[in-house]
Amino acid sequence: MKIRHIALSAAALLLAGAAQAVEFKQVDTTKSSLAFSSKQMGVPVPGSFKKFTTQIAFDPAKPTAASTTLEIDLASIDAGSKDANDEVVGKQWFNVKAFPTAKFVSSGVKALGGNRYEALGKMTIKGQTRDIVAPFTFKQDGANGVFDGGFVLKRMDFNIGEGPWADVSAVANEIEIKFHVVAAPAAAAKK
Amino acid sequence: MSSYTQRYSGPAIAAHWLIALLILAAFPLGLYMSDLPLSPNKLKLYSYHKWIGMTVLLLFVPRLLWRLTHTPPKALPMPAWQHKIAEGTHHLLYLLMFLVPLSGWLMSSAKGFQVVYFGVLPIPDLIGKSEELGELLKEVHEALNWGLFGLVGLHVAGALKHHIIDRDSTLRRMLPFGK
Ligand code: HEM
């Protein structure tokens, strides 16, 4: 009797502890998106990647222990028009035959105060690896964790757009990246 | 003497030749650029084309207002049917001067490319992105352009006929720096 009592309260304690420190791990790709905006002759042109996989482990109680990886299927790009889609998978742009994916691996997360954070890590595209700092916000939406953030990627750092396309007066060097990731708590995975 | 005093007003002459020049630049540029493979050069030419075209649309507004509030010089003596054709041509030219750039603007929006005048001033999209509508408006822009091409041809032929064959002041009264 007594032992059962202790066991129960221990379980309750554990549960309470788990409720305080939820780790958001199960990314819902159907609710998540990876968008970007390029500037062509001063015209902002929106685009997105339809296929990507991402792993996240984020506990708002211990943000600095968080980690994430992201892998983008570059051929799934929508660059705003059919012409552009045909062009950007080619050799001078992403060269997807040789480099089908882009990858981001975090090396750390900084808490900036409030619900604002910063993910640090390395981005690899087309064989080039660069350090990236991506500020993001975290909020809880029901049981889910929602991450919204973005950063500016300089395409020439990764040789995205070679030859005549290196002309940044036609297509600007700066590409705005925006991500929206929805993840469920780790526990939900066991259901 | 009297025909010399019957010149077009300064603003009418300025608007006429400025718009004529812009159309003469936009038209061959449009034909040339659309067949190019995608390149930075193509992006640039498209933008120049759009900026020139939007300038026509912009100038069209004061031009039309001026025309509606000022009586142009009286037509010179000519057979009634010629006068009718000339007037009809002028009216249709006004219509296409408006519809050609408007269709270009709408096409650009439908294709998902906002027009940013001179690369700095974003012009609002009147319609949203839609592939089918973009294709349709492209056809419309082309068809209207061939209409414009035909009308301009007729208009120029008429002006030259008056100048060379009739030797009247029809063309001179629209020329800048004339008397
Ligand atoms: C007076 C004004 C204009 C003239 C005379 C003009 C003339 C033309 C001509 C001749 C073409 C080639 C059509 C063909 O392929 O047969 C063209 C294409 C085009 N025009 Fe215009 N245009 C004008 C204004 C504009 C404006 C204001 C815009 C957009 C803001 C525009 C956007 C385009 C585009 C995007 C194309 C290429 C269509 C394609 O091949 O995808 N135009 N234009």
Side-chain angles (χ1 to χ4, degrees):
Chain A
M1 189 73 178
K2 229 183 176 179
I3 292 175
R4 238 179 82 188
H5 227 96
I6 293 170
L8 268 175
S9 40
L13 258 175
L14 266 174
L15 275 174
Q20 268 168 5
V22 186
E23 193 162 44
F24 294 91
K25 272 194 142 158
Q26 291 293 307
V27 174
D28 185 344
T29 39
T30 59
K31 286 184 189 148
S32 305
S33 63
L34 186 57
F36 62 87
S37 173
S38 67
K39 261 210 166 130
Q40 302 175 14
M41 296 298 291
V43 181
V45 182
S48 63
F49 289 98
K50 301 290 175 216
K51 275 199 227 148
F52 57 91
T53 52
T54 175
Q55 274 94 45
I56 284 188
F58 182 86
D59 177 351
K62 288 182 284 174
T64 49
S67 70
T68 178
T69 62
L70 165 71
E71 202 166 311
I72 307 167
D73 178 356
L74 293 172
S76 75
I77 191 170
D78 176 4
S81 70
K82 211 180 142 285
D83 276 1
N85 291 349
D86 293 342
E87 179 70 27
V88 294
V89 294
K91 262 212 165 88
Q92 293 181 326
W93 289 91
F94 285 117
N95 194 4
V96 296
K97 281 224 181 85
F99 305 100
T101 56
K103 199 162 185 174
F104 175 76
V105 180
S106 71
S107 56
V109 171
K110 263 197 229 162
L112 300 180
N115 63 345
R116 296 181 313 115
Y117 303 90
E118 209 170 66
L120 314 166
K122 295 208 182 293
M123 187 86 178
T124 305
I125 308 173
K126 216 180 171 183
Q128 307 291 317
T129 300
R130 295 280 182 279
D131 286 319
I132 292 285
V133 179
F136 67 93
T137 60
F138 170 81
K139 71 171 195 293
Q140 237 170 299
D141 180 19
N144 289 335
V146 181
F147 304 84
D148 272 296
F151 59 96
V152 172
L153 180 145
K154 293 216 166 94
R155 66 181 182 92
M156 297 316 292
D157 285 351
F158 301 91
N159 301 330
I160 305 168
E162 295 176 60
W165 289 112
D167 177 359
V168 293
S169 73
V171 179
N173 194 7
E174 292 79 14
I175 310 282
E176 258 183 67
I177 315 277
K178 284 223 151 59
F179 54 85
H180 173 76
V181 177
V182 177
K190 286 177 188 135
K191 277 188 191 162
Chain B
M1 180 67 204
S2 67
S3 66
Y4 287 156
T5 58
Q6 286 280 315
R7 283 178 57 73
Y8 279 92
S9 61
I13 293 176
H16 175 276
W17 290 105
L18 200 55
I19 289 179
L21 210 69
L22 292 169
I23 289 177
L24 282 177
F27 191 90
L29 185 55
L31 285 182
Y32 172 70
M33 69 182 196
S34 50
D35 288 334
L36 293 175
L38 191 56
S39 70
N41 193 38
K42 180 170 180 154
L43 294 183
K44 286 181 188 173
L45 295 182
Y46 265 59
S47 288
Y48 303 154
H49 177 83
K50 293 176 185 182
W51 303 342
I52 296 170
M54 291 308 286
T55 309
V56 171
L57 193 57
L58 195 72
L59 291 174
F60 172 77
V61 178
R63 179 172 189 192
L64 185 70
L65 288 177
W66 185 267
R67 174 66 178 77
L68 293 176
T69 53
H70 295 76
T71 317
K74 259 185 38 209
L76 295 162
M78 67 176 95
W81 67 271
Q82 283 183 16
H83 181 60
K84 272 213 178 105
I85 291 184
E87 258 200 340
T89 305
H90 296 159
H91 289 154
L92 285 176
L93 277 170
Y94 276 114
L95 189 67
L96 289 187
M97 226 181 286
F98 172 65
L99 290 183
V100 165
L102 180 69
S103 61
W105 175 12
L106 294 176
M107 170 202 346
S108 197
S109 297
K111 291 198 166 206
F113 295 93
Q114 190 183 17
V115 180
V116 180
Y117 200 41
F118 297 117
V120 288
L121 183 70
I123 313 262
D125 289 318
L126 297 185
I127 53 174
K129 188 175 175 178
S130 152
E131 207 168 308
E132 303 91 75
L133 201 55
E135 281 307 308
L136 177 70
L137 284 164
K138 185 190 154 184
E139 304 288 319
V140 170
H141 191 62
E142 276 183 35
L144 290 174
N145 261 299
W146 289 115
L148 181 65
F149 183 80
L151 285 170
V152 169
L154 194 62
H155 181 69
V156 171
L160 290 178
K161 183 233 173 220
H162 279 280
H163 193 69
I164 295 164
I165 297 172
D166 302 337
R167 293 174 172 276
D168 64 22
S169 61
T170 301
L171 175 60
R172 259 177 292 139
R173 65 186 191 170
M174 184 49 105
L175 288 177
F177 322 118
K179 275 226 163 161

